[in-house]
Amino acid sequence: MSQSDSVRIVLASRPEGRPSPQNFRLEHTAIPAITDGQVLLKVLYLSLDPYMRGRMSAAKSYSAPTEIGQTMEGGTVAEVLESRDPAFKPGDIVLSYSGWRSHAVANGSQLRKLDPKSAPVTTAVGVLGMPGFTAYAGLLTIGQPKPGETVVVAAASGPVGSAVGQIARIKGARAVGIAGGAEKCAFVRDTFGFDAVIDHRDPDMASKLAAACPDGIDVYFENVGGHVWDAVFPLLNTFARIPVCGLVAHYNASGDFPGPDRLPVLMRQVLSKSLTIRGFIQREFVAAQGPAFREEMARWIAEGAVKYKEDIVEGLKNAPEAFIGLLEGKNFGKLIVKL
């Protein structure tokens, strides 16, 4: 790649079921020029997140789908190369939404300046960014854990789940995590400090989850679905709260879901147990809670109350395979591409 060359990855075709490398295409383009109020960015880090699978589909959702031939979307940490906005100068590091590309043009109003001395800049797309805020807002606003209650979260080794459990413990609740494999489970228990961890690959997962939650489940932070939900559902207490931020186990599904209609069973329990099930998109809470989140989370990290793990992949060309692996739980920690 020459100094006048920019690289991007676009959506080449819409996947049916599991995405494949053929659904992506790498393109070379000229580095664009900027006008007044704009800055030219060099992307340093790209965040890979499960919601991107939804953007690859044409199905109606809370955001418009990525069009065929359009750059894949995503949060980024970038360096300012050139600026025609007085608020930014070359060398500044910013949080942007540049997508899967090496260079981008953005309006200064779309950027947030980062201080590399206060925290590693990668945390702006992880524990101090959208995943951390998803955990913070969803758990505290919808889950509302109380001292002594039991909070369960799946994908507990990931950026959202790990933060959910640690915040729950800060608030005095028991944190029970569900993760995939012995290594991840050990990390959740020993580093993130969860009270109990269950391996979702264990054939006895349901009985072991019940044993880890002798008083039932008061808050289940739902980000997976699938057989994990099946194990959690019978253990929900009266007045249990279920924040729903994702259903990654179903993102690659296509067509009708197999099996009997279980909606009547669900709704009967919603009624009889007075359950609160609330889906949310984190951006609905940003204006009101964003500043408090950044302040509190930064303090918790500095105090050692919250720890985090990152999974760094080298090279933009490797983003498609890394993303496909993310949907199958192959990452260990917040998945980030270093350009």
Side-chain angles (χ1 to χ4, degrees), residues 73-225:
E73 299 179 29
T76 55
V77 173
E79 178 185 355
V80 175
L81 293 183
E82 183 182 348
S83 175
R84 294 181 66 175
D85 182 323
F88 298 91
K89 64 181 185 302
D92 284 345
I93 306 299
V94 299
L95 176 66
S96 63
Y97 199 73
S98 302
W100 298 27
R101 63 200 319 159
S102 62
H103 297 79
V105 170
N107 292 323
S109 60
Q110 299 171 327
L111 307 174
R112 178 162 65 85
K113 196 178 297 187
L114 302 176
D115 180 5
K117 295 180 182 179
S118 64
V121 294
T122 50
T123 60
V125 292
V127 67
L128 285 171
M130 183 270 290
F133 183 69
T134 299
Y136 177 93
L139 180 64
L140 299 184
T141 305
I142 302 169
Q144 300 182 15
K146 300 172 180 62
E149 289 191 326
T150 296
V151 175
V152 173
V153 61
S157 67
V160 176
S162 61
V164 166
Q166 293 177 90
I167 296 170
R169 284 180 53 82
I170 289 170
K171 299 302 180 180
R174 289 186 69 245
V176 177
I178 301 171
E183 182 184 11
K184 290 182 179 180
C185 287
F187 199 90
V188 170
R189 181 185 60 249
D190 300 336
T191 300
F192 293 143
F194 281 50
D195 296 281
V197 189
I198 310 300
D199 189 342
H200 71 73
R201 299 175 185 171
D202 190 320
D204 297 323
M205 181 197 74
S207 62
K208 290 183 178 180
L209 179 63
C213 304
D215 299 321
I217 297 172
D218 301 293
V219 180
Y220 174 53
F221 195 103
E222 176 63 284
N223 54 8
V224 171

Side-chain angles (χ1 to χ4, degrees), residues 58-81:
K60 186 177 181 180
S61 184
Y62 58 87
S63 290
T66 300
E67 298 297 333
I68 302 298
Q70 184 178 338
T71 304
M72 287 289 296
E73 299 179 29
T76 55
V77 173
E79 178 185 355
V80 175
L81 293 183

